[in-house]
Amino acid sequence: MSAQTSSTIEVPEIQVPFPLNRHPDYDHVRNHTYQWAVERGIMTADAARAHLDGLRYTDLITGYYVGAPLPALCAINDFSVWFFAWDDRHDRDVVHGRTAAWYALQHALGETLRAPDRHTGHDEPLVAGFADCVLRLQERLGSGWAERFASHFRRTIAAYGREFHNRTRGRIPSVTEYLSLRRHTFGMGVWLDCLELAADRVLPETVRLSEPYQEAGWACQEFAAWFNDLHSMAKEAAVRDVHNLGILLAREAGVSLREGARLLAACLRARVRDFERAEQGVCLLAERLPELEREAVQSCLYNMRNWISSVHWFHYRSTRYQIAAWADPTVPPYVHDSAPQGRA
């Protein structure tokens, strides 16, 4: 895959049936996260001024979690910006062969999940920032929710380690293997947990673990992850990273990247239909619940829809995927390679 070939991948149009919604406290959340990212060293002040608004990370989260209490929304948005920065660091560590630095960071993040209060002053900004986010996210819905969140993110950390191993050793996963890995590198379990933060209530397990709710959740999350893969095909092909569903579909089918994008687009359209079928079952479950629980389920289902619409518009608007405008298609302008700081 050459940079020239990767930069000319045509992204098929995907229509989504849901409107774009946004939390009314957008401006407050954007300003809060700008200050948080700079104060925590997640981004330099110059980088934040130059890139943060264009990257539109706050657009994404305020479209995902409409109705969330403001402190929860700020914590989720800070965590999302941190996640993008961690993903960028992962990519740069792979590109520059910084194996020891990556595994040290992976270990530190695992330790932080066990005791976040002990790591808020860590010398590595990505560790200290992560600790701050985890503490604020976990304080709201009790110990059971907090442990579930931590368990889901431990799998994300481990999955990033497996992808690092694959990329540094030139190992190419199968499509089936990648789909399993992607559930964790995208953090799908964590983002589904955050639906309950937005609803300000833990869902009853009879709903959360039910087949319709699980299917609706996975469908909205896989749409988001695969839509991200569609729009980041050029970005990842430029650095010869095969951890992308479109690239792997093309490889296994023996077709061009452009045709791989079309295959991926078909998968995305099918996943929207899957979600629409599953949400009908969730609505039926919600009708049998007491009022407060019913409202919480309805909030989560509403924001699953918002995941689909928000991730759709974000990828067309964010400078994160506008590789044709970059001076060097292998070096995103919003990251710095000179130091190990920095989601496709």
Side-chain angles (χ1 to χ4, degrees):
M1 294 179 295
S2 68
Q4 181 179 5
T5 300
S6 68
S7 65
T8 57
I9 296 170
E10 180 181 345
V11 177
E13 178 67 24
I14 306 290
Q15 299 292 332
V16 298
F18 310 127
L20 179 63
N21 295 297
R22 178 162 292 165
H23 198 287
D25 292 317
Y26 172 87
D27 288 335
H28 178 97
V29 176
R30 180 189 61 188
N31 294 336
H32 165 86
T33 294
Y34 180 97
Q35 294 175 356
W36 179 86
V38 172
E39 289 172 359
R40 286 283 172 177
I42 304 301
M43 297 183 76
T44 66
D46 287 345
R49 280 192 296 269
H51 300 294
L52 199 50
D53 280 347
L55 289 166
R56 293 182 176 265
Y57 295 156
T58 299
D59 291 29
L60 196 62
I61 293 300
T62 56
Y64 284 165
Y65 297 108
V66 181
L70 186 55
L73 189 64
C74 287
I76 297 169
N77 199 50
D78 294 348
F79 175 65
S80 175
V81 170
W82 175 89
F83 205 144
F84 277 114
W86 179 52
D87 184 80
D88 292 335
R89 164 70 182 273
H90 175 264
D91 180 69
R92 295 295 94 188
D93 280 357
V94 169
V95 169
H96 295 293
R98 298 189 294 234
T99 302
W102 166 254
Y103 283 114
L105 176 59
Q106 180 178 333
H107 176 76
L109 294 177
E111 291 298 307
T112 300
L113 269 180
R114 279 183 273 277
D117 56 317
R118 300 179 186 175
H119 293 81
T120 55
H122 198 284
D123 290 342
E124 165 58 65
L126 283 174
V127 175
F130 180 60
D132 178 70
C133 288
V134 170
L135 283 170
R136 290 157 56 209
L137 291 166
Q138 290 186 328
E139 71 183 3
R140 302 193 60 83
L141 291 182
S143 59
W145 185 94
E147 181 49 42
R148 179 172 15 119
F149 173 94
S151 176
H152 286 151
F153 205 77
R154 286 188 191 99
R155 296 172 195 171
T156 293
I157 294 170
Y160 264 79
R162 291 195 296 275
E163 183 173 315
F164 188 93
H165 179 275
N166 287 348
R167 290 181 63 185
T168 54
R169 289 162 175 78
R171 184 181 179 278
I172 300 173
S174 67
V175 168
T176 300
E177 181 184 355
Y178 174 74
L179 289 173
S180 177
L181 186 68
R182 188 63 167 135
R183 282 196 172 191
H184 300 303
T185 57
F186 193 77
M188 295 184 194
V190 167
W191 299 122
L192 291 173
D193 292 337
C194 287
L195 292 172
E196 293 167 278
L197 278 182
D200 205 25
R201 189 177 184 89
V202 176
L203 296 183
E205 287 198 350
T206 53
V207 173
R208 184 174 58 81
L209 298 180
S210 69
E211 184 176 346
Y213 188 88
Q214 290 281 303
E215 175 57 23
W218 290 127
C220 84
Q221 289 297 298
E222 289 186 329
F223 176 89
W226 301 354
F227 197 79
N228 173 262
D229 279 8
L230 180 65
H231 282 260
S232 61
M233 281 182 70
K235 179 175 177 284
E236 284 155 356
V239 293
R240 300 183 180 276
D241 179 10
V242 299
H243 288 75
N244 178 290
L245 184 52
I247 292 172
L248 289 173
L249 286 170
R251 185 180 184 89
E252 289 200 359
V255 298
S256 68
L257 291 181
R258 179 171 293 196
E259 184 57 32
R262 294 193 184 102
L263 294 172
L264 178 49
C267 296
L268 285 161
R269 296 183 185 106
R271 216 61 183 112
V272 173
R273 294 192 295 271
D274 292 339
F275 174 80
E276 291 180 303
R277 283 192 294 269
E279 72 171 338
Q280 295 175 20
V282 179
C283 289
L284 290 174
L285 284 174
E287 288 176 359
R288 308 181 192 129
L289 297 172
E291 182 178 0
L292 291 178
E293 291 182 350
R294 181 173 65 251
E295 290 176 353
V297 173
Q298 290 169 340
S299 168
C300 291
L301 191 60
Y302 171 67
N303 279 326
M304 287 181 190
R305 284 175 164 238
N306 287 332
W307 260 88
I308 293 172
S309 58
S310 188
V311 83
H312 175 269
W313 287 109
F314 166 76
H315 282 84
Y316 286 108
R317 295 171 177 174
S318 174
T319 56
R320 187 172 179 85
Y321 309 99
Q322 296 174 10
I323 185 173
W326 301 356
D328 181 346
T330 68
V331 182
Y334 47 83
V335 301
H336 299 278
D337 281 334
S338 57
Q341 298 183 18
R343 193 180 170 184

